[in-house]
Every structure is written in C-alpha cells, then in structure tokens.
Amino acid sequence: MSSIAPSILAADFANLQRDIEMINRSEADYIHVDIMDGMFVPNISFGIPVCEAAHKHAQKPLDVHLMIVEPDRYLEAFRKAGAHIITVHYEACTHLHRTVQHIKELGALPGVALNPHTPVELLTDILPDLSLVLIMSVNPGFGGQKFIENTYRKIAKLDQMRKEQGLDFMIEVDGGVSTQNAARLSQVGTDVLVAGSFVFNAEEPLATIAELKQATRVA
Ligand code: DX5
Ligand code: ZN
C-alpha cells in the first residue's frame, strides 16, 4: 500500500481552507505543496504566505516541492512556513550535499526531485542522506499533464538501488497519477503518490483519494 499526497496546486485557491479540510478528513497521508518560481519552471504558482496559510489549517504533514532556482535562499522560510518534507531539484542545486545538510539542520526531512530526463544513477552518492526521492513523471511546471511511461523503469531501478545499499528513503512519484497507473506504480516500489487534477477535478475528491489508496492496496 502506498501513501497519498494530494497536490493543492489543483485546489480552489479562493477556498483553500475548505480544500485543506477535505484533505484532513480524507485517507491522504501528506499535503503536497508545489512552489514554482517562473525561472526553474515556466510557471508561477504561489509562495511562502500561501504555504503558511495552508499549514494553519493542515492536520497532515506538508510535503513541499520546490521547483525553484537557488532553493538555499528559501529553505529556512519554508521550514518556518510549516514544511515537514522539503524537496529540492537535483537540476537546481550545484552543491546538493550542502543543501541537503541544511534542510536536515532546519529539522525538516530532505528530498531530492529528478526531472524526467535525469537518470536515477546520479543520486548514488547522496542517497544515504535522503529521506525521500521524488521522481517526476511529467515535466514540472503544470498540473494535468500526461504520465511518462519510462517512469516505471526509473522507479524500479531506484528501488533496486535502495535495496542494494540497504537504505530506507521513500520513493515519491509526481505528475499524471490516477487510478490507471497507481497499482503498477505501487508494485514497482513507489511509497508516495502525488495527485493533483485527478483528485481536485473529480466529482467526489474525498472518495477519489480513497480509490487511489485502494488501488495500491491490491498491488
Ligand atoms: C507538476 C507538479 C505536480 C502537479 C501534479 O509540476 O509538481 O505536483 O501538481 O499535478 P497532476 O496530478 O495534475 O499531474
Ligand atoms: Zn509537485
């Protein structure tokens, strides 16, 4: 069974409290918070005050995904805004080891995200320091995109590396997740499924979160 992290990127921002309370009542395990700066990705989402506002109502840990350049400048601010997990992009960090140590010093769990073109093998030497690896299954920047099929192979390989090195970091997948691919993602070793549009565009978001979780139960 995998954990579910609904992404509030697809929530109704004018009713954010209502949507977060829905997640609180649901079977979700985390609240995924997508931060986009218009530089690392071609889109701007929201920033620190919205993260803080979400945290005020959230009863589940905030899983903050920083799609920003120079994330080091904002780690402390996001930690203060309530981030439990802080994930930075491999492609945005020149001194990734230093960035990861900084996240730990702040008392958050460090995660590293990989774009679809970045091989999991590049993480070999940093894996022992990580609590989470986020595999992007779309190019970051927008919700509602099509799932990239090569993701299964990447996750299976990462799961194998995890076993070989005797590590216990979580594997998270992000982008185009639905009940169509949840079971197979879980089977290949995914611990956390992020889902934005599939949850929030559904007639019954609460039931949809339960369905996603159920799909991974049989896997
Ligand atoms: C994409 C974001 C995702 C996004 C997923 O850049 O990182 O977290 O919210 O949205 P869906 O589930 O609609 O693909
Ligand atoms: Zn994300």
Side-chain angles (χ1 to χ4, degrees):
M1 186 176 65
S2 305
S3 298
I4 308 296
S7 166
I8 56 169
L9 182 66
D12 177 354
F13 294 152
N15 287 288
L16 191 55
Q17 180 177 351
R18 180 200 66 193
D19 285 357
I20 287 179
E21 284 169 354
M22 179 282 292
I23 300 175
N24 288 343
R25 288 195 307 277
S26 78
E27 287 183 43
D29 302 272
Y30 299 95
I31 300 179
H32 189 78
V33 181
D34 284 309
I35 309 295
M36 303 178 182
D37 66 352
M39 295 290 289
F40 181 71
V41 289
N43 194 14
I44 299 176
S45 56
F46 49 78
I48 296 150
V50 173
C51 186
E52 223 162 41
H55 182 237
K56 208 158 67 187
H57 301 288
Q59 287 163 11
K60 314 221 170 177
L62 296 189
D63 167 33
V64 176
H65 177 194
L66 298 181
M67 287 163 275
I68 65 176
V69 296
E70 298 186 37
D72 305 79
R73 295 169 61 195
Y74 300 101
L75 296 176
E76 196 173 344
F78 279 106
R79 175 61 180 151
K80 283 194 181 134
H84 178 74
I85 302 172
I86 300 180
T87 297
V88 295
H89 265 264
Y90 175 85
E91 302 84 4
C93 297
T94 310
H95 301 287
L96 183 59
H97 183 270
R98 180 181 293 149
T99 304
V100 165
Q101 303 315 317
H102 189 189
I103 296 171
K104 285 196 222 180
E105 280 158 23
L106 291 168
L109 301 180
V112 171
L114 297 184
N115 279 339
H117 72 276
T118 306
V120 290
E121 287 83 353
L122 289 175
L123 293 180
T124 306
D125 291 294
I126 194 75
L127 286 180
D129 294 288
L130 301 183
S131 297
L132 178 141
V133 176
L134 188 166
I135 301 295
M136 286 305 308
S137 39
V138 298
N139 285 292
F142 303 92
Q145 301 181 79
K146 190 175 175 295
F147 180 85
I148 297 171
E149 295 289 318
N150 185 49
T151 306
Y152 298 118
R153 194 199 59 78
K154 281 178 86 168
I155 293 174
K157 173 70 196 166
L158 184 60
D159 183 44
Q160 184 193 338
M161 290 165 70
R162 174 165 65 175
K163 286 182 183 131
E164 280 167 8
Q165 297 189 41
L167 299 171
D168 64 354
F169 58 84
M170 294 185 280
I171 299 177
E172 180 172 55
V173 68
D174 187 5
V177 171
S178 71
T179 43
Q180 296 262 320
N181 49 29
R184 186 160 168 209
L185 284 167
S186 186
Q187 267 163 15
V188 294
T190 311
D191 304 288
V192 187
L193 304 178
V194 176
S197 49
F198 187 70
V199 167
F200 286 99
N201 293 350
E203 296 264 316
E204 298 283 350
L206 203 71
T208 303
I209 292 170
E211 279 166 32
L212 267 177
K213 197 149 192 169
Q214 183 58 30
T216 75
R217 229 171 237 132
V218 291

